[in-house]
């Protein structure tokens, strides 16, 4: 997928779930039938323009009322089984924001490998356990996406909401600023270390219908695929990496291409290592 095409899809991911413009004009929430539909992206229910619901918010709601969210689980399972984390790489507007922030000139740092496990902890603790025991959706209270597209707009346009500002609001703002700041130095820190939706979809990367295939015989191991990767991985080493957001930027290299789970083996004619000459091994 080309860079421009991916940005177009990310724009669609930002606009379509939040196309209720009247919400900003009348300072009201859309409560129609579409609000029962989960988008495969983080999308705050309380955003004035939100037409669709956030899947993580839905999971928390059902945990809080101690019920099983069959619809949300089914939706996420179908999306994950189809494309893995591709919605993270090609639709998520917050991922787009982080990509753009990383282009800001600043010190650049790698993220520790262990940080990926934080998102699984956030999923188990903040999305399932805490709402179940407290009957409150605590991930939604702290989510930087919700703060950006719902908290800040409501405080800006509604005097009554401004009067309700307390310590929790400033905690939310601090979390948002933390991820905005770190995104200028680290590739997609929220996606890689905190997003519970990414944690769910990453479980499907090895078995999803859409896959990456790598041809070791045309690969020069130059590492350019890692340089352009928005989550800083080497898809040539592990095409099914749970960290991969399936943006397909790496397929600009002829050694990598999008394929299906039925054809994800290395493509092109395979030459057994034993048959290569010493000169070929060096090259």
């Amino acid at each position: 997928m080309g860079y421009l095409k991916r940005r177009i899809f990310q724009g669609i991911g930002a606009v379509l779930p939040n196309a209720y413009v009247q919400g900003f004009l009348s300072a009201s929430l859309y409560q129609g039938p579409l609000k029962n539909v989960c988008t495969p992206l983080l999308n705050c229910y309380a955003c004035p323009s939100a037409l669709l619901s956030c899947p993580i918010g839905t999971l928390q709601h059902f945990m809080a009322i101690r019920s099983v969210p069959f619809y949300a689980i089914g939706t996420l399972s179908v999306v994950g089984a189809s494309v893995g984390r591709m919605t993270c790489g090609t639709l998520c507007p917050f991922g787009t924001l982080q990509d753009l922030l990383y282009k800001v000139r600043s010190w650049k740092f790698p993220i520790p490998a262990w940080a990926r496990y934080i998102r699984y902890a956030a999923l188990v603790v903040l999305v399932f356990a805490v709402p179940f025991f407290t009957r409150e959706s605590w991930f939604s209270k702290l989510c930087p996406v919700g703060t950006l597209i719902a908290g800040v707009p409501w405080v800006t346009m509604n005097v009554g909401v401004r009067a309700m500002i307390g310590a929790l609001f400033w905690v939310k703002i601090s979390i948002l600023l933390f991820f905005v700041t770190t995104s200028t130095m680290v590739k997609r820190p929220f996606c890689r270390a905190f997003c519970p939706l990414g944690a769910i979809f990453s479980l499907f990367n090895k078995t999803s219908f859409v896959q990456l295939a790598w041809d070791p015989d045309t690969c020069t191991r130059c590492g350019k695929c890692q340089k352009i990767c928005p989550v800083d991985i080497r898809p040539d080493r592990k095409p099914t990496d749970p960290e991969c957001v399936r943006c397909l930027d790496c397929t600009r290299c002829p050694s990598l291409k999008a394929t299906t789970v039925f054809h994800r083996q290395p493509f092109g004619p395979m030459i057994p290592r034993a048959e290569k000459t010493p000169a070929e091994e060096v090259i």
Side-chain angles (χ1 to χ4, degrees):
M1 180 177 293
Y3 177 84
L4 179 59
K5 185 182 293 186
R6 186 158 72 92
R7 292 295 179 238
I8 291 173
F9 274 102
Q10 289 172 324
I12 292 172
V15 173
L16 287 187
N18 294 287
Y20 186 66
V21 180
Q22 185 180 342
F24 281 102
L25 300 177
S26 61
S28 62
L29 288 178
Y30 170 76
Q31 298 290 343
L34 288 177
K35 214 56 177 287
N36 296 319
V37 178
C38 287
T39 175
L41 310 167
L42 288 181
N43 189 66
C44 189
Y45 184 100
C47 176
S49 61
L51 284 175
L52 307 176
S53 291
C54 175
I56 297 301
T58 301
L59 291 176
Q60 291 175 96
H61 168 73
F62 277 90
M63 289 298 100
I65 64 174
R66 300 183 180 179
S67 183
V68 180
F70 292 108
Y71 168 70
I73 292 174
T75 299
L76 296 179
S77 296
V78 169
V79 173
S82 300
V83 296
R85 291 191 70 181
M86 184 173 281
T87 58
C88 302
T90 61
L91 288 176
C92 180
F94 199 65
T96 307
L97 175 62
Q98 292 173 83
D99 288 342
L100 296 175
L101 287 171
Y102 189 73
K103 294 180 180 296
V104 175
R105 296 188 64 178
S106 67
W107 292 101
K108 306 298 182 183
F109 302 97
I111 194 170
W114 54 262
R116 70 180 65 182
Y117 299 108
I118 300 175
R119 66 173 183 256
Y120 297 105
L123 175 65
V124 173
V125 176
L126 291 178
V127 177
F128 292 119
V130 173
F132 182 84
F133 290 110
T134 67
R135 296 183 180 271
E136 292 191 46
S137 302
W138 271 99
F139 180 82
S140 292
K141 291 177 182 289
L142 302 174
C143 178
V145 179
T147 302
L148 180 63
I149 68 175
V152 172
W154 277 112
V155 167
T156 302
M157 67 184 185
N158 191 291
V159 177
V161 173
R162 283 202 296 274
M164 296 168 59
I165 289 178
L168 179 59
F169 177 77
W170 297 114
V171 171
K172 291 158 62 76
I173 291 293
S174 297
I175 293 173
L176 174 61
L177 290 176
F178 170 78
F179 284 111
V180 167
T181 303
T182 54
S183 292
T184 65
M185 298 176 283
V186 177
K187 291 182 176 181
R188 289 202 180 204
F190 179 77
C191 302
R192 298 164 67 190
F194 198 71
C195 181
L197 186 57
I200 293 173
F201 286 146
S202 69
L203 301 175
F204 293 90
N205 263 12
K206 288 187 177 181
T207 57
S208 64
F209 180 77
V210 175
Q211 292 284 327
L212 280 177
W214 168 62
D215 184 356
D217 291 312
T218 60
C219 180
T220 62
R221 281 74 170 179
C222 65
K224 289 182 180 178
C225 55
Q226 182 176 14
K227 292 179 181 178
I228 64 175
C229 176
V231 289
D232 202 31
I233 62 171
R234 286 287 297 265
D236 58 329
R237 292 178 177 172
K238 191 177 182 182
T240 60
D241 196 320
E243 296 298 292
C244 177
V245 293
R246 299 279 165 80
C247 66
L248 304 184
D249 282 1
C250 61
T251 58
R252 285 182 250 168
C253 171
S255 297
L256 289 155
K257 72 175 183 179
T259 182
T260 69
V261 68
F262 303 111
H263 302 92
R264 71 180 180 189
Q265 67 272 15
F267 59 93
M270 289 292 293
I271 303 175
R273 286 284 179 181
E275 297 179 10
K276 289 187 176 182
T277 66
E280 286 176 320
E281 289 290 347
V282 172
I283 294 173

